[in-house]
Amino acid sequence: MPHTLPSDPHGFRRRGVLFVLSSPSGAGKSTIARRLLADEHELEMSVSVTTRSMRPGEVDGKDYHFTDLEGFRDMVAKDEFLEWAHVFNHRYGTPRAQVEEMLAAGKDVLFDIDWQGAQQLFQIAGGDVVRVFIFPPSMEELHRRLTSRGTDSTEVIEARMSRAANEVSHWDGYDYVLVNDDVDSCIRGVKTILAAERLKRSRQTGLIGFIRRLTR
Ligand code: 5GP
């Protein structure tokens, strides 16, 4: 997947960062993603397609593209997903075209996807993906957060708790790990990772020309 980013003050370009944030639901990932997007203007969100129903407050096209099983299967058949997976008895997928457009426009792309998606994306992008996992401070705290959200039934919450334990067990498939016991410091950590990844030598594509000019 070729991607080049024309955002450098010194005349070299850099490839956009594919930035994956995963965590059990309720660990604060959406808040972190929202704050990152507000502060980081070169970063855009990959909006997934899902077959689950809309929660109160969610907006179609912003939080997710909501579709039915038939619509989802149709997209799979047309190879329109970069990756997709079953999560909580529903299907979630990353539309390919949107990501390619963002990279072509010189953006970094933020993915809020699970460990299965992170794994698939890693393979598709030949390892050129930054994978960040956010832990909740404890499973008790996660339960409290899921309950206080008030959007899901007890059965759904229990299912999410067991799914969370499964999600946490895949922590070793990530490049970076953070604990969200304080949202501000967690966001600072995530921003530091993004800043460092943007500066990686391997992401700078016009470096040779720059070095030549520098040493002329
Ligand atoms: P929720 O239903 O709470 O919004 O999301 C449930 C889980 O699905 C979260 O862990 C989220 O990261 C994951 N998810 C959302 N979109 C995608 C996607 O496009 N692909 C994959 N693999 N997982 C996704």
Side-chain angles (χ1 to χ4, degrees):
M1 212 192 327
H3 36 287
T4 357
L5 187 63
S7 67
D8 147 72
H10 308 292
F12 51 88
R13 296 151 69 88
R14 79 176 168 80
R15 285 174 296 113
V17 180
L18 302 178
F19 201 74
V20 174
L21 269 190
S22 297
S23 77
S25 71
K29 182 180 45 177
S30 330
T31 311
I32 292 165
R34 217 175 310 117
R35 296 259 301 268
L36 258 189
L37 290 164
D39 294 349
E40 301 283 345
H41 300 301
E42 286 184 350
L43 183 69
E44 285 194 1
M45 185 84 205
S46 159
V47 180
S48 296
V49 176
T50 183
T51 58
R52 84 147 159 77
S53 46
M54 212 186 287
R55 295 200 188 111
E58 285 185 326
V59 178
D60 191 15
K62 184 168 171 283
D63 297 291
Y64 282 104
H65 300 287
F66 294 92
T67 187
D68 56 11
L69 192 53
E70 200 184 327
F72 197 95
R73 283 188 171 141
D74 189 46
M75 288 185 73
V76 172
K78 291 179 181 153
D79 196 27
E80 289 180 13
F81 289 120
L82 262 184
E83 64 75 34
W84 71 272
H86 290 273
V87 188
F88 308 128
N89 303 322
H90 298 293
R91 290 165 205 218
Y92 295 77
T94 303
R96 182 190 300 279
Q98 186 190 42
V99 175
E100 287 174 353
E101 277 163 29
M102 288 172 186
L103 291 174
K107 300 292 182 183
D108 300 312
V109 186
L110 178 63
F111 299 86
D112 172 346
I113 58 180
D114 78 338
W115 66 272
Q116 306 173 82
Q119 223 169 56
Q120 290 182 61
L121 204 59
F122 185 81
Q123 268 158 22
I124 290 157
D128 193 11
V129 174
V130 181
R131 298 159 300 173
V132 180
F133 193 87
I134 298 169
F135 290 107
S138 67
M139 293 313 256
E140 292 74 25
E141 175 60 16
L142 185 69
H143 190 268
R144 198 193 60 73
R145 288 181 192 175
L146 285 177
T147 312
S148 69
R149 196 155 74 171
T151 50
D152 296 313
S153 66
T154 312
E155 295 76 47
V156 169
I157 288 168
E158 290 318 315
R160 279 176 188 269
M161 285 302 294
S162 78
R163 175 80 202 180
N166 178 46
E167 187 82 25
V168 164
S169 75
H170 294 282
W171 64 276
D172 57 351
Y174 289 79
D175 306 300
Y176 298 93
V177 289
L178 297 102
V179 179
N180 184 16
D181 44 10
D182 173 71
V183 73
D184 289 324
S185 73
C186 195
I187 288 168
R188 272 197 302 278
V190 174
K191 283 184 178 175
T192 305
I193 296 165
L194 180 60
E197 288 288 343
R198 282 172 168 163
L199 291 171
K200 260 198 171 159
R201 178 169 59 85
S202 57
R203 287 222 159 73
Q204 320 304 326
T205 54
L207 201 49
I208 300 292
F210 174 74
I211 301 294
R212 281 206 191 106
R213 285 195 301 283
L214 197 68
T215 55
R216 198 161 39 206

